[in-house]
Amino acid sequence: MRERVLESTDRPQFYSEIQVGNGVKIEIKQSKMIEFWESKGYRNLKMPKGGYQLVKIKNKSIISEAVDEELMHEVKNQLLNIEEKFNVWTEFVEKDFITKKTKLALDILKEINLNICNAKTAYFFFSNGVLKVTEDEIELIPYEEYGGYVFESQIINHDFVLVEESEKLKSDFDAFLRNVTNNKEDRYNYLTTAIGYIIHGFKDSSLTKAVILVDETLDFSGEANGGTGKSIIGRAVSSVTSTLTKDGKSLNTKGNRFFYQDLNYSHKVMYLDDVNEDLNFEDFYSVVTGSLSIEEKHKAPYSIPFEISPKLMISSNYMVKGSGGNSDERRRIEIEIFPYYSKDFTPLDDFGKKLFDDWDVQEYNSFFNDMISYCQKFMCNGIMNSAPINLNENKLILETNMSFVEFADMNITFNSGEDKISKNKATLYNHYRDKYPMESRNVSNVMFKKWLAKWSKRRGYEDSHRKSDGQSIVDFFRKIDNVE
């Protein structure tokens, strides 16, 4: 008896219905089923840590992690809801067609561009499209026209509406930024362009800096004040770009090979929130300047290339320690937060609502428009630095101690018109030990010499050590531009 294949106009088709006598024989082709799944966007994404991840490509650019059950539901939807082939569905579920071998046969995504930003173009991902931002234009484009790939987890759950500058109402967050910069235009520009820098996806090898938020007024007695709003800035950043936030109080970097294991390719910022005074910025130089080595437990290490590795942001109630010197300084964008807010007067007291949590759709849209404008300002102007308030003084105290700074300021002074003064180092050291016996008990001669050099640098002087008649002399020179 002849077998006749029953034709179907639906494509792609992974099954055949063959007329056999008075019945119908169902044949399901594994190779055709693989083609069906591929037509629906399923692929194997080659992972940097090794192995493959089943994903689904949506709108030609959105990568969504997938599981085996989704393959099953695609077939079920096709057969029951679209084609109404109940007999084919029955045949499918009675056999095992979703195997490891089948999944491995899916096409592989090897080289995917996860960051097509450049110095003058940034992209932000919203529910209703990709926001393309340049120096002078903001445009919402469909995901189908985006030239790279984006993980679904990076998409902001908000339909962005561009508000023209003439109609724009500044957000509560922008008012908050005005407050924490003491309503000083130069400080406001510094902070907003730093935010623009950190949310811009482009990694510039000539601008490898961490954004560090510290309080303008610090308590060096060991008690942290806080409550000035630094974490709100961190939340703002995480609201517009994929951010891994780590609790700064519980950080353990010493000998911790697995510190970065929760980072992945989707993260654009790593935010260390409210770090303790013992954190050493030097431990994070690799995050700022180069490729990032990742090691997970029981897995082979791998590397995230510099171009798509996350930028670093830190907030602290203390000065963030580092190695000192130009190498350390050039890796920092340090923002001093004015103490407009405190534990006794919070943003909730000021605005009458919780920032972010109590906003409606329109308020969120105003916030997103402002954040985009900060990024645009950064692309046009770079980091708009402002003069430090207490930063240099606080760094000097951190590098030495408060008693030494007080002593040096009182005992190393230039008279009007002087550009050089000389001090006997031993006499100076003993005088310091006599005046501050408790604070100086662990300060050696060598440490005292180093502190003199740090004090000189922070005060804009130069120091030089020499011998004279068997005595150690230290000369302090006032730089030409510091002479009265």
Side-chain angles (χ1 to χ4, degrees), residues 171-177 179 340-341 345-355 359:
S171 64
D172 289 342
F173 180 70
D174 189 78
F176 163 86
L177 294 184
N179 292 336
Y340 185 90
Y341 299 105
F345 180 67
T346 67
L348 177 59
D349 298 323
D350 193 15
F351 295 99
K353 56 188 169 186
K354 295 178 182 177
L355 299 187
W359 285 346

Side-chain angles (χ1 to χ4, degrees), residues 8 10 30 37 49 90 96 186 247 253 335 387 394 433 448:
S8 172
D10 292 317
Q30 196 87 307
W37 281 322
K49 63 186 74 175
T90 300
D96 187 9
D186 58 336
D247 179 8
T253 59
I335 311 290
N394 290 334
R433 294 289 301 269
F448 187 75

Side-chain angles (χ1 to χ4, degrees), residues 112-213:
I112 58 173
N113 196 340
L114 293 171
N115 190 356
I116 65 169
C117 297
N118 58 51
K120 298 301 182 183
T121 308
Y123 294 91
F124 298 90
F125 307 102
F126 290 91
S127 297
N128 59 331
V130 179
L131 199 66
K132 181 180 179 181
V133 182
T134 62
E135 290 182 339
D136 51 12
E137 187 178 11
I138 300 174
E139 178 187 10
L140 192 67
I141 62 175
Y143 278 94
E144 289 83 356
E145 296 179 13
Y146 177 58
Y149 287 94
V150 56
F151 288 103
E152 192 170 43
S153 60
Q154 293 177 286
I155 297 175
I156 302 165
N157 185 25
H158 176 84
D159 287 342
F160 182 84
V161 178
L162 178 62
V163 180
E164 296 299 329
E165 195 65 35
S166 59
E167 303 173 3
K168 187 180 292 184
L169 295 175
K170 287 296 184 180
S171 64
D172 289 342
F173 180 70
D174 189 78
F176 163 86
L177 294 184
R178 291 282 183 183
N179 292 336
V180 300
T181 53
N182 198 19
N183 281 296
K184 303 292 186 182
E185 195 67 20
D186 58 336
R187 295 180 67 176
Y188 171 79
N189 288 334
Y190 188 26
L191 177 54
T192 51
T193 53
I195 292 173
Y197 158 77
I198 204 75
I199 65 175
H200 187 0
F202 179 63
K203 295 288 293 291
D204 186 347
S205 59
S206 66
L207 186 63
T208 54
K209 296 177 180 286
V211 173
I212 303 175
L213 307 174

Side-chain angles (χ1 to χ4, degrees), residues 195-309:
I195 292 173
Y197 158 77
I198 204 75
I199 65 175
H200 187 0
F202 179 63
K203 295 288 293 291
D204 186 347
S205 59
S206 66
L207 186 63
T208 54
K209 296 177 180 286
V211 173
I212 303 175
L213 307 174
V214 297
D215 291 331
E216 176 183 316
T217 304
L218 296 179
D219 184 351
F220 284 92
S221 66
E223 182 177 340
N225 293 320
T228 55
K230 298 182 294 295
S231 293
I232 289 176
I233 298 172
R235 181 162 180 185
V237 168
S238 66
S239 296
V240 296
T241 191
S242 181
T243 302
L244 174 66
T245 300
K246 285 179 173 281
D247 179 8
K249 286 187 169 63
S250 60
L251 288 184
N252 175 27
T253 59
K254 296 296 183 183
N256 184 1
R257 294 161 30 217
F258 310 114
F259 181 80
Y260 300 110
Q261 66 177 342
D262 45 357
L263 275 174
N264 59 52
Y265 270 13
S266 72
H267 292 127
K268 298 303 176 189
V269 175
M270 183 169 72
Y271 174 42
L272 310 181
D273 181 26
D274 196 14
V275 302
N276 287 322
E277 59 184 329
D278 57 351
L279 180 125
N280 194 330
F281 180 52
E282 190 175 3
D283 294 339
F284 298 93
Y285 284 175
S286 62
V287 182
V288 177
T289 60
S291 299
L292 188 56
S293 296
I294 309 291
E295 189 171 351
E296 298 182 15
K297 293 179 180 178
H298 314 300
K299 293 183 179 179
Y302 68 98
S303 179
I304 298 180
F306 169 78
E307 294 77 13
I308 59 173
S309 65

